[in-house]
């Protein structure tokens, strides 16, 4: 149920992701994670079912920087992917609830925008918060390389995606 998912998300955010180990490893692997989509992170965790089976081969030079740290990286990616899965399950429940109630909690244009955002490198979660509609979207991401004092490469890609979407759907607010 949605209540159970919300409790799981709260637990992950308030218990699993606040340890010194989590913070230290996130800082250590921030650059690597911000350069790849979360869909590819399963390869970092050692997930055999990941669609990108050539991850290590195609990124051998990048992975050479982390030789001997595979267990730490897998532990961190496991925590991050638990949150991603729980948030995606919550989105599914909210969409289903909206369909049953005849209310656009996550309207199709917002689904498209959230999915496009989720495909970006460094993005962990995205979706419509609260009661839904056309007026809000949330995004949890791993900071990329700073581009200005107040932004970074991942945030810039998110902003570009949202602006492009807004220009395509000018009849509705995002």
């Amino acid at each position: 149920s949605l209540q159970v998912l919300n409790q799981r998300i709260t637990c992950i955010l308030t218990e699993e992701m606040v340890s010194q180990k989590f913070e230290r490893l996130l800082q250590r692997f921030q650059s690597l994670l911000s350069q790849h989509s979360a869909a590819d992170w399963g390869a970092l965790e050692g997930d055999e079912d990941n669609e990108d089976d050539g991850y290590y081969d195609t990124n051998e030079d990048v992975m050479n920087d982390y030789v001997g740290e595979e267990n730490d990286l897998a532990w961190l990616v496991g925590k991050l992917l638990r949150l991603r899965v729980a948030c995606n399950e919550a989105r599914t429940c909210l969409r289903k609830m909206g369909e049953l109630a005849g209310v656009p909690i996550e309207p199709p244009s917002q689904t498209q925008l959230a999915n496009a955002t989720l495909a970006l490198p460094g993005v962990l979660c995205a979706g419509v918060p609260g009661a839904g509609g056309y007026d809000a979207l949330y995004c949890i991401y791993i900071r990329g390389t700073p581009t200005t004092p107040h932004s970074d490469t991942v945030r810039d890609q998110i902003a570009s995606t949202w602006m492009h979407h807004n220009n395509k759907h000018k009849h509705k607010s995002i």
Side-chain angles (χ1 to χ4, degrees):
S1 80
L2 191 54
Q3 184 177 11
V4 171
L5 284 168
N6 286 337
Q7 289 171 345
R8 185 180 336 150
I9 291 168
T10 300
C11 178
I12 293 168
L13 291 171
T14 61
E15 295 175 17
E16 297 181 25
M17 294 188 166
V18 295
S19 71
Q20 288 181 350
K21 179 179 181 179
F22 180 86
E23 290 180 26
R24 177 179 52 81
L25 293 178
L26 184 58
Q27 187 174 28
R28 170 68 179 118
F29 297 114
Q30 178 177 346
S31 176
L32 176 66
L33 295 173
S34 71
Q35 294 174 35
H36 302 282
S37 74
D40 292 336
W41 294 352
L44 299 173
E45 188 188 23
D47 181 358
E48 300 298 325
D49 295 329
N50 190 280
E51 292 178 17
D52 187 3
D53 292 332
Y55 185 86
Y56 287 106
D57 298 334
T58 59
N59 295 286
E60 199 168 304
D61 293 336
V62 173
M63 291 310 297
N64 284 338
D65 293 340
Y66 303 100
V67 170
E69 297 181 271
E70 295 89 351
N71 290 339
D72 285 343
L73 181 56
W75 181 88
L76 176 64
V77 166
K79 298 289 184 191
L80 293 170
L81 292 180
R82 276 178 41 84
L83 178 61
R84 181 178 172 93
V85 166
C87 287
N88 285 341
E89 289 175 4
R91 278 185 67 204
T92 299
C93 285
L94 286 170
R95 279 194 306 272
K96 195 173 288 186
M97 184 170 48
E99 290 168 12
L100 293 172
V103 177
I105 292 176
E106 186 177 294
S109 64
Q110 292 295 80
T111 298
Q112 291 171 359
L113 181 56
N115 291 345
T117 303
L118 283 168
L120 296 173
V123 174
L124 181 60
C125 305
V128 175
Y134 295 92
D135 62 347
L137 198 72
Y138 74 86
C139 179
I140 300 173
Y141 70 96
I142 307 294
R143 283 189 198 128
T145 305
T147 56
T148 69
H150 303 290
S151 194
D152 60 78
T153 53
V154 177
R155 186 176 183 159
D156 293 347
Q157 288 180 320
I158 295 165
S160 175
T161 298
W162 290 12
M163 287 173 56
H164 175 73
H165 179 84
N166 194 30
N167 288 337
K168 260 172 74 174
H169 300 277
K170 283 189 177 196
H171 62 283
K172 294 187 175 152
S173 301
I174 59 169

